[in-house]
């Protein structure tokens, strides 16, 4: 169809710069924002091993010449964690590769397909880091069996603003005292709904949000308290990923210390398998990509605390 006598509609179109593609959310459990992560796994390693030391001892008042002096002792052990490979692949059929080359788009398609394979591997890293994997018999950052859990009846939906603030202070105090005043968690992950409730709820006779009030009150006590919203703490996510039973309807709050001595992951960076492992069959070429990882390693469970509360609407 023509317009103006000679010009096709196509000739009157203006191409906009750039290409719109799908947008992806941040993978905070995978990229090190939540779990300190080191890319130091050696190729082919099946396990990582950490030496541990246990120390016991006491002292007492003794008389002259006494033989019942308390003795201290040190014992050595080791913790072992399996390494898992995560893989994804992209492919071309014979005719696709010819068509992309003809269109001059082969390099762009290559880059996009590689990006998608890397993204799928990153998303699996993220889920394993957060929740573990029942098939591998490992837990994650949000469901470690060694971390104390308070299945609380406190309801954020009906609580007054000052009660919301007191709740966080009380839970921080509980984490501190439970570790014999050794650990003071500074970071908190809370559900999306709970986070925005703290943002929009104001303290009595004040324009200050409960979220700001909690941070300011604790900072005056030299506690740099960081509260972060985390979709994986939502009740629906916990149920979908097997952390709690369906229809439990409880969100998770996680208090922790973001310190690689306390919690860590170790990975081998995403890469293409060598040329000899590329598969060609029946007119299709398959390019595998892979990465390796440990589960989330919590060395000091006492620096963590889980609290479950009714789902925030």
């Amino acid at each position: 169809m023509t317009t103006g006598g000679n010009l096709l509609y196509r000739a009157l179109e203006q191409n906009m710069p750039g290409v719109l593609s799908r947008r992806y959310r941040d993978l905070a459990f995978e990229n090190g924002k939540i779990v300190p992560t080191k890319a130091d796994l050696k190729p082919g390693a099946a396990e990582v091993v950490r030496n541990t030391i246990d120390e016991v001892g006491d002292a007492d008042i003794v008389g002259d010449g006494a033989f019942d002096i308390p003795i201290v002792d040190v014992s050595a052990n080791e913790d072992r964690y399996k390494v898992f490979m995560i893989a994804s692949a992209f492919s071309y059929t014979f005719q696709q590769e010819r068509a992309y080359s003809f269109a001059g788009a082969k390099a762009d398609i290559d880059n996009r397909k590689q990006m998608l394979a890397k993204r799928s591997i990153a998303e699996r890293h993220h889920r394993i880091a957060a929740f573990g994997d029942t098939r591998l018999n490992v837990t994650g950052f949000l469901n470690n069996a060694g971390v104390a859990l308070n299945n609380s009846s406190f309801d954020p939906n009906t609580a007054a603003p000052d009660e919301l603030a007191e709740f966080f202070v009380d839970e921080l105090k509980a984490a501190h005292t439970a570790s014999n005043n050794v650990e003071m968690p500074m970071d908190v992950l809370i559900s999306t709904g709970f986070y925005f409730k703290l943002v929009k709820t104001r303290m009595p006779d004040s324009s200050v949000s409960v979220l700001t009030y909690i941070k300011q009150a604790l900072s005056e006590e030299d506690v740099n308290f960081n509260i972060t919203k985390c979709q994986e703490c939502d009740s629906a996510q916990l149920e979908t990923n097997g952390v709690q039973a369906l229809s439990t309807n409880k969100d998770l709050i996680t208090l922790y210390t973001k310190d690689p001595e306390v919690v860590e992951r170790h990975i081998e960076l995403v890469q293409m398998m060598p040329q000899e492992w590329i598969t060609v069959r029946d007119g299709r070429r398959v390019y595998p990509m892979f990465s390796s990882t440990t589960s989330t390693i919590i060395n000091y469970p006492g620096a963590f605390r889980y609290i479950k509360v009714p789902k925030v609407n």
Side-chain angles (χ1 to χ4, degrees):
M1 185 176 181
T2 62
T3 184
N6 298 316
L7 297 176
L8 298 175
Y9 275 120
R10 189 76 177 169
L12 299 177
E13 293 175 351
Q14 177 181 336
N15 286 331
M16 299 288 286
V19 177
L20 292 180
S21 59
R22 183 177 177 180
R23 298 177 69 176
Y24 296 94
R25 75 184 187 94
D26 189 43
L27 300 175
F29 285 96
E30 180 268 342
N31 61 22
K33 289 185 178 179
I34 292 176
V35 188
T37 300
K38 275 190 173 182
D40 60 353
L41 283 183
K42 303 297 183 184
E47 289 184 315
V48 295
V49 182
R50 167 72 49 74
N51 293 327
T52 63
I53 295 178
D54 192 22
E55 301 166 340
V56 295
D58 198 3
D60 202 356
I61 299 171
V62 298
D64 184 31
F67 287 95
D68 56 347
I69 299 174
I71 297 175
V72 302
D73 199 7
V74 175
S75 59
N77 209 327
E78 62 183 22
D79 290 336
R80 291 179 170 270
Y81 301 93
K82 290 183 179 180
V83 174
F84 311 104
M85 179 177 285
I86 302 171
S88 185
F90 62 96
S91 71
Y92 294 100
T93 65
F94 174 69
Q95 187 61 8
Q96 279 178 336
E97 191 160 308
R98 281 159 42 100
Y100 295 147
S101 296
F102 175 76
K106 182 66 166 60
D108 291 339
I109 296 295
D110 269 349
N111 290 336
R112 194 67 191 171
K113 288 196 172 190
Q114 285 189 49
M115 186 282 293
L116 287 170
K118 290 176 68 175
R119 174 71 191 192
S120 66
I121 290 171
E123 288 184 353
R124 181 61 65 178
H125 270 290
H126 178 81
R127 289 196 294 274
I128 291 175
F131 305 112
D133 193 303
T134 54
R135 297 170 302 173
L136 306 175
N137 197 30
V138 295
T139 56
F141 187 93
L142 300 175
N143 59 343
N144 187 288
V147 175
L149 168 64
N150 174 20
N151 195 6
S152 177
S153 59
F154 176 82
D155 192 347
N157 296 289
T158 58
D162 54 344
E163 291 174 332
L164 289 170
E166 288 173 9
F167 169 76
F168 277 92
V169 175
D170 288 344
E171 289 298 336
L172 181 60
K173 174 187 174 184
H176 191 46
T177 56
S179 68
N180 197 27
N181 289 11
V182 172
E183 307 289 354
M184 175 65 87
M186 297 291 185
D187 290 274
V188 188
L189 302 180
I190 63 175
S191 69
T192 308
F194 202 169
Y195 180 87
F196 283 107
K197 182 174 181 62
L198 296 179
V199 169
K200 70 182 182 181
T201 304
R202 297 289 182 262
M203 294 300 294
D205 303 319
S206 170
S207 62
V208 176
S209 71
V210 174
L211 181 68
T212 300
Y213 175 83
I214 293 169
K215 292 180 178 180
Q216 289 178 345
L218 289 169
S219 67
E220 292 173 1
E221 302 300 323
D222 293 326
V223 178
N224 186 21
F225 206 54
N226 182 38
I227 300 176
T228 304
K229 67 179 181 296
C230 174
Q231 180 180 335
E232 284 68 28
C233 290
D234 293 0
S235 177
Q237 288 281 324
L238 299 173
E239 293 173 12
T240 298
N241 289 280
V243 176
Q244 61 189 20
L246 295 176
S247 301
T248 300
N249 292 327
K250 284 213 162 185
D251 290 341
L252 179 68
I253 301 168
T254 303
L255 279 68
Y256 75 107
T257 302
K258 187 182 176 183
D259 182 337
E261 190 173 275
V262 171
V263 57
E264 58 186 327
R265 289 173 65 239
H266 297 267
I267 65 168
E268 185 180 4
L269 292 174
V270 179
Q271 55 199 283
M272 189 89 72
M273 286 189 183
Q275 182 73 29
E276 58 267 29
W277 299 100
I278 293 175
T279 302
V280 181
R281 182 178 178 181
D282 298 333
R284 180 180 293 274
R285 193 191 306 269
V286 179
Y287 298 85
M289 300 186 74
F290 75 96
S291 174
S292 297
T293 184
T294 64
S295 58
T296 297
I297 299 169
I298 299 180
N299 296 309
Y300 294 98
F304 274 62
R305 182 173 175 83
Y306 297 146
I307 309 104
K308 286 190 177 180
V309 296
K311 180 174 69 174
V312 180
N313 300 320

